[in-house]
Structure formats: C-alpha cells, structure tokens
Amino acid sequence: MAGTCSMLCLILITLFVPPLGVFLISGCSVDLLINILLTILGYLPGHIHAFYLEYVYYGNRNAAEATAPRRAPGVYSERIQRGGHHHQTYGTTP
C-alpha cells in the first residue's frame, strides 16, 4: 500500500513539475538535466520523458525482487535502472 501511495504522489508531482518528479527518483543525474532541457523546449516532451523514467523505475523495482532487471534504453541513472535497489557487486565493473 505504501508503494502505491508513493507512486500516486510521484505521478501527481510529475504532472505539475516534471523535473521535480525525475529528481525524486533519480537524484541529481544526467536524466534530470535532460528532463529540464526537454521541459524548457516544451512542456509535453518533459512529461513524456519523466513518465518514461517513472515507468522504467517502477518496472525495474518490481522486477528486481524476482530477477535482475533489464537495462532500459535512454536511461542514464543507475538508480532508475536498478529500480532504487542498491546491488553491491565486488570485483566486477557495472
């Protein structure tokens, strides 16, 4: 229930301010910069990008519990790619 509530709050925030929604899931990253630029170029591209990142984030968040999540194209934040999960792998490079 808490996951659903946080997802709905994030969607509402993203609806009004797309870069803020991206910041909440990716932190200060390249994806945030891309979203700010897309929002400046047009409000609709910023929304599309932000909702795509949220779709990837929550999809990988659910998939990470069962299997290793698949990398999404066009997403540069490891936090989004991993669905917010922190996987420590020692001796390997990402």
Side-chain angles (χ1 to χ4, degrees), residues 1-51:
M1 181 70 177
T4 304
C5 186
S6 67
M7 181 173 42
L8 290 175
C9 289
L10 185 62
I11 288 171
L12 286 174
I13 290 169
T14 304
L15 193 59
F16 295 107
V17 186
L20 182 58
V22 172
F23 175 75
L24 292 174
I25 60 171
S26 74
C28 190
S29 67
V30 174
D31 288 315
L32 176 63
L33 179 64
I34 291 170
N35 190 265
I36 290 170
L37 292 174
L38 286 172
T39 303
I40 290 170
L41 290 174
Y43 207 57
L44 186 62
H47 275 93
I48 293 170
H49 181 254
F51 285 122

Side-chain angles (χ1 to χ4, degrees), residues 31 49 52-53 56 60 71-78 80-81:
D31 288 315
H49 181 254
Y52 172 68
L53 293 176
V56 170
N60 287 346
R71 292 195 64 83
V75 178
Y76 301 100
S77 171
E78 284 301 315
I80 293 174
Q81 290 286 5

